[in-house]
Amino acid sequence: MTALRRDIHAHPELAFQETRTADLVAAKLASWGIEVHRGLGKTGVVGVLHGSLGPGGRAIGVRADMDALPMPEQNRFAHASLNPGRMHGCGHDGHTAMLLGAAQYLATHRDFEGTVNFIFQPAEEGGNAGAKAMMADGLFERFPCDEVYGVHNMPGAPVGTFSFRKGAMMASSNRFDIVVRGTGGHAAMPQKGVDPIVIAAEMVGVLQTVISRTKSPIDTAVLSVTQMHAGDAYNVIPDEAVLRGTVRTFSIEVLDLIEDQMRRIAETLPQVYGATGELKFVRAYPPLVNWPAPTDFAADVATEVFGAAKVLREAPPVAGAEDFSFFLEQVPGSYCFIGNGNGEHREATYHGMGPCELHNPSYDFNDALLPIGSTYWVKLVQAFFRRG
Ligand SMILES: [Zn+2]
Ligand SMILES: [Zn+2]
């Protein structure tokens, strides 16, 4: 698994371009006698393994993501990225390797009744929604799953500690554009036009009232304006000003509320000044909401295998987003984090100077997690079929 992981790490591929990785995954699965299906979500791969006690009526889905990030790697160890400007900075190389390890083990220990669907998805990063693309290609119609599970490594948490949480565990991610249209003109004669910059600047502040005044203080949400664009000259009032940014919430209800109020502000505030405004709001990933019973089940398996001291059952939510949330909108299941440690696993001389955090150019997946993660997968699958 370490050799596989480092091979994938050295050959990072971006969203929907994971052809080498998918070739590798498909070849490994086939060599272990697992039925391989390709082309779901362009580069996604599904391995289907039937138990030797019969296909039974039940099936479990276990998922790894395969894509890398458009960023340079600062590490200089032997398995550092060979593709300039691309890096496995989120540990999807490790997720893929440990699911392959579990697939190999289960292929040679088929003493169960039912079906395991190994789901290797493309394009988790950057709002590309590879999970949704696989669903659009009939993932759960062609490979029905009674339950589906996912894991992600978590730097900073002690190596091999598991974090579970029932309900909302990760945020929805959404992006917006607001265009304020005024009337441009000479900067020395503002009375002859309608200045969109002054309106947009005021709107940045007013938008913060959506968080502080519109939603309940109990509900968590973030609204960040991250871009302001307007004008090209010192002495010209432009026609337009554009604001862009992101919104994160842990429920769809709060998201609906926020989008409605943002639209009201974007459209009516400019009217006060004789301008017009328009909101374009794009929902990328929904909140990741873990199902209660599958979460208890997965946490019980982790506790039984690794001990209660290694398992956090009520971990705090994380404001990041994850497209496994699309799976959980349709199929019961649960997603957890496994601690990646503090970076002490990296080679002393050849790693980058930065922290071993996700999306940092000095990050590296901790190979000590490979046997832990694949053991979790194997035990989870076995317990699922034992459970009946
Ligand atoms: Zn990531
Ligand atoms: Zn990731």
Side-chain angles (χ1 to χ4, degrees):
M1 279 190 286
T2 301
L4 266 174
R5 203 282 293 179
R6 294 184 174 197
D7 180 59
I8 297 168
H9 188 93
H11 300 90
E13 297 172 303
L14 299 182
F16 297 121
Q17 299 168 21
E18 306 92 335
T19 49
R20 183 188 185 277
T21 311
D23 286 348
L24 180 71
V25 166
K28 288 291 174 191
L29 294 174
S31 74
W32 302 322
I34 296 174
E35 191 183 305
V36 176
H37 300 265
R38 301 191 61 171
L40 287 95
K42 278 190 189 160
T43 42
V45 181
V46 179
V48 179
L49 178 68
H50 299 298
S52 59
L53 306 181
R58 298 174 69 244
I60 184 171
V62 285
R63 170 272 203 173
D65 37 17
M66 302 189 292
D67 58 321
L69 288 155
M71 60 184 284
E73 176 158 9
Q74 279 179 8
N75 299 307
R76 291 293 171 262
F77 40 53
H79 62 281
S81 172
L82 297 171
N83 299 343
R86 291 168 196 189
M87 176 188 177
H88 267 296
C90 204
H92 300 181
D93 48 343
H95 304 161
T96 298
M98 66 198 197
L99 189 58
L100 281 174
Q104 181 183 24
Y105 183 92
L106 289 164
T108 50
H109 299 77
R110 300 190 183 202
D111 48 338
F112 54 84
E113 184 186 356
T115 301
V116 190
N117 295 311
F118 299 97
I119 302 166
F120 293 87
Q121 79 152 79
E124 192 285 321
E125 297 285 359
N128 287 297
K132 197 179 175 186
M134 289 188 83
M135 290 168 75
D137 284 341
L139 175 65
F140 293 124
E141 289 75 34
R142 292 171 62 191
F143 312 99
C145 296
D146 294 291
E147 291 172 20
V148 66
Y149 292 87
V151 302
H152 203 290
N153 75 99
M154 177 62 91
V159 181
T161 52
F162 286 76
S163 297
F164 295 92
R165 179 182 180 83
K166 285 183 235 180
M169 190 184 214
M170 296 183 77
S172 68
S173 79
N174 317 276
R175 58 182 184 269
F176 64 85
D177 296 67
I178 295 172
V179 181
V180 177
R181 293 190 181 89
T183 307
H186 200 298
M189 294 172 244
Q191 78 281 6
K192 291 192 170 179
V194 177
D195 186 348
I197 292 185
V198 173
I199 300 166
E202 182 178 344
M203 196 180 289
V204 173
V206 174
L207 284 170
Q208 288 309 313
T209 65
V210 177
I211 300 301
S212 66
R213 303 290 91 173
T214 303
K215 68 163 187 64
S216 158
I218 308 304
D219 294 322
T220 306
V222 184
L223 188 166
S224 292
V225 175
T226 56
Q227 299 182 40
M228 294 181 77
H229 299 284
D232 299 292
Y234 285 101
N235 58 351
V236 177
I237 293 170
D239 278 325
E240 269 186 20
V242 177
L243 301 177
R244 298 197 179 103
T246 187
V247 172
R248 308 286 170 116
T249 71
F250 287 89
S251 79
I252 295 291
E253 292 72 30
V254 173
L255 182 58
D256 289 343
L257 197 69
I258 288 175
E259 185 183 339
D260 282 354
Q261 182 64 2
M262 286 180 70
R263 179 157 287 112
R264 203 169 295 131
I265 292 168
E267 291 175 358
T268 59
L269 181 68
Q271 286 174 17
V272 174
Y273 302 97
T276 60
E278 193 187 337
L279 170 75
K280 193 177 119 198
F281 198 92
V282 177
R283 299 185 179 203
Y285 294 175
L288 186 145
V289 183
N290 284 323
W291 293 58
T295 304
D296 277 336
F297 164 66
D300 287 346
V301 169
T303 303
E304 194 185 314
V305 180
F306 302 102
K310 297 270 190 186
V311 178
L312 197 58
R313 284 173 176 267
E314 290 180 44
V318 174
E322 162 58 84
D323 72 353
F324 190 75
S325 55
F326 288 110
F327 288 0
L328 293 180
E329 283 188 329
Q330 193 172 324
V331 180
S334 193
Y335 177 92
C336 70
F337 294 111
I338 312 182
N340 196 55
N342 282 316
E344 60 282 345
H345 61 283
R346 296 178 303 175
E347 291 178 36
T349 324
Y350 297 111
H351 69 70
M353 301 296 284
C356 189
E357 290 291 342
L358 299 176
H359 297 206
N360 187 286
S362 299
Y363 168 84
D364 194 29
F365 183 88
N366 189 343
D367 287 323
L369 283 194
L370 293 170
I372 296 168
S374 56
T375 300
Y376 168 71
W377 280 135
V378 167
K379 298 291 186 184
L380 187 81
V381 167
Q382 291 175 334
F384 172 82
F385 291 121
R386 255 202 328 270
R387 206 181 73 197

Coordinates of all heavy atoms in Angstrom, one line a residue, residues 49-60 110 112-116 144 146 384-385 388:
L49 N -17.6 -6.6 -5.8 CA -17.2 -7.9 -5.2 C -18.4 -8.6 -4.6 O -19.0 -8.0 -3.6 CB -16.1 -7.6 -4.2 CG -15.5 -8.8 -3.4 CD1 -14.7 -9.7 -4.4 CD2 -14.6 -8.4 -2.3
H50 N -18.7 -9.7 -5.1 CA -19.7 -10.5 -4.5 C -19.2 -11.5 -3.5 O -18.1 -12.1 -3.8 CB -20.5 -11.3 -5.6 CG -21.2 -10.4 -6.6 ND1 -22.2 -9.5 -6.3 CD2 -21.0 -10.3 -7.9 CE1 -22.5 -8.9 -7.4 NE2 -21.8 -9.3 -8.4
G51 N -19.9 -11.7 -2.4 CA -19.4 -12.7 -1.4 C -19.6 -14.1 -1.9 O -20.4 -14.4 -2.8
S52 N -18.8 -15.0 -1.4 CA -18.8 -16.4 -1.8 C -20.0 -17.1 -1.3 O -20.4 -18.2 -1.7 CB -17.5 -17.2 -1.4 OG -17.4 -17.1 0.0
L53 N -20.7 -16.5 -0.3 CA -21.9 -17.1 0.3 C -23.2 -16.7 -0.5 O -24.3 -16.9 0.0 CB -22.1 -16.8 1.8 CG -20.8 -17.1 2.6 CD1 -21.1 -16.8 4.1 CD2 -20.5 -18.6 2.5
G54 N -22.9 -16.1 -1.6 CA -24.1 -15.6 -2.5 C -24.2 -14.1 -2.5 O -23.6 -13.4 -1.6
P55 N -24.8 -13.6 -3.6 CA -24.9 -12.1 -3.7 C -25.8 -11.5 -2.6 O -25.7 -10.4 -2.3 CB -25.4 -11.9 -5.1 CG -26.1 -13.2 -5.5 CD -25.4 -14.3 -4.7
G56 N -26.7 -12.4 -2.1 CA -27.6 -11.9 -1.0 C -28.4 -10.7 -1.4 O -28.4 -10.3 -2.6
G57 N -29.1 -10.0 -0.5 CA -29.9 -8.9 -0.9 C -29.2 -7.6 -0.6 O -29.6 -6.5 -1.0
R58 N -28.1 -7.6 0.2 CA -27.6 -6.4 0.8 C -26.2 -6.0 0.1 O -25.5 -6.8 -0.3 CB -27.4 -6.5 2.3 CG -28.8 -6.7 2.9 CD -28.7 -7.0 4.4 NE -28.3 -5.8 5.2 CZ -27.1 -5.7 5.8 NH1 -26.3 -6.7 5.8 NH2 -26.8 -4.6 6.5
A59 N -26.0 -4.7 0.1 CA -24.8 -4.2 -0.5 C -24.3 -2.9 0.2 O -25.1 -2.1 0.8 CB -25.1 -3.8 -2.0
I60 N -23.0 -2.8 0.3 CA -22.4 -1.7 1.0 C -21.5 -0.9 0.0 O -20.8 -1.6 -0.8 CB -21.6 -2.1 2.2 CG1 -21.0 -0.9 3.0 CG2 -20.5 -3.1 1.9 CD1 -20.4 -1.3 4.4
R110 N -13.7 -13.8 0.9 CA -15.1 -13.5 0.4 C -16.2 -14.2 1.2 O -17.3 -14.4 0.7 CB -15.2 -13.9 -1.0 CG -14.3 -13.2 -2.0 CD -14.7 -13.5 -3.4 NE -13.8 -12.9 -4.3 CZ -14.1 -12.6 -5.6 NH1 -15.3 -12.9 -6.1 NH2 -13.2 -12.1 -6.4
F112 N -18.6 -13.9 2.9 CA -19.8 -13.1 3.3 C -20.9 -13.2 2.3 O -20.6 -13.7 1.1 CB -19.4 -11.6 3.5 CG -18.8 -11.0 2.4 CD1 -19.6 -10.4 1.3 CD2 -17.4 -10.9 2.3 CE1 -19.0 -9.8 0.2 CE2 -16.8 -10.3 1.1 CZ -17.6 -9.8 0.1
E113 N -22.1 -12.9 2.7 CA -23.2 -12.9 1.7 C -23.6 -11.5 1.4 O -24.0 -10.8 2.3 CB -24.4 -13.7 2.3 CG -25.6 -13.8 1.4 CD -26.8 -14.5 2.0 OE1 -26.7 -14.8 3.2 OE2 -27.8 -14.5 1.3
G114 N -23.5 -11.1 0.1 CA -23.8 -9.7 -0.2 C -22.8 -9.2 -1.2 O -22.0 -9.9 -1.8
T115 N -22.8 -7.9 -1.4 CA -22.0 -7.2 -2.4 C -21.3 -6.0 -1.8 O -21.9 -5.2 -1.1 CB -22.9 -6.8 -3.6 OG1 -23.5 -7.9 -4.2 CG2 -22.1 -6.1 -4.7
V116 N -20.0 -5.9 -2.2 CA -19.3 -4.7 -1.8 C -19.0 -3.9 -3.1 O -18.5 -4.4 -4.1 CB -17.9 -5.0 -1.2 CG1 -17.3 -3.7 -0.6 CG2 -18.0 -6.0 -0.1
P144 N -26.6 -0.6 -6.7 CA -27.4 -0.2 -5.5 C -26.6 -0.4 -4.2 O -25.9 -1.5 -4.1 CB -28.7 -1.1 -5.6 CG -28.7 -1.6 -7.0 CD -27.3 -1.7 -7.4
D146 N -27.1 -0.3 0.1 CA -28.0 0.0 1.2 C -27.4 1.0 2.1 O -28.2 1.8 2.7 CB -28.2 -1.3 2.0 CG -29.0 -2.3 1.2 OD1 -30.2 -2.1 1.0 OD2 -28.4 -3.3 0.7
F384 N -20.8 -5.2 8.6 CA -22.1 -4.8 7.9 C -22.8 -6.1 7.5 O -24.0 -6.2 7.7 CB -21.7 -4.0 6.7 CG -22.9 -3.8 5.7 CD1 -23.8 -2.7 6.0 CD2 -23.1 -4.5 4.6 CE1 -24.9 -2.5 5.1 CE2 -24.1 -4.3 3.7 CZ -25.0 -3.3 4.0
F385 N -22.0 -7.1 7.0 CA -22.7 -8.3 6.6 C -23.0 -9.2 7.8 O -24.1 -9.9 7.7 CB -21.8 -9.1 5.6 CG -21.6 -8.4 4.2 CD1 -20.4 -8.0 3.8 CD2 -22.8 -8.1 3.5 CE1 -20.3 -7.3 2.5 CE2 -22.7 -7.4 2.3 CZ -21.4 -7.0 1.8
G388 N -26.4 -8.4 9.4 CA -27.7 -8.9 8.7 C -28.7 -7.8 8.4 O -28.4 -6.6 8.7

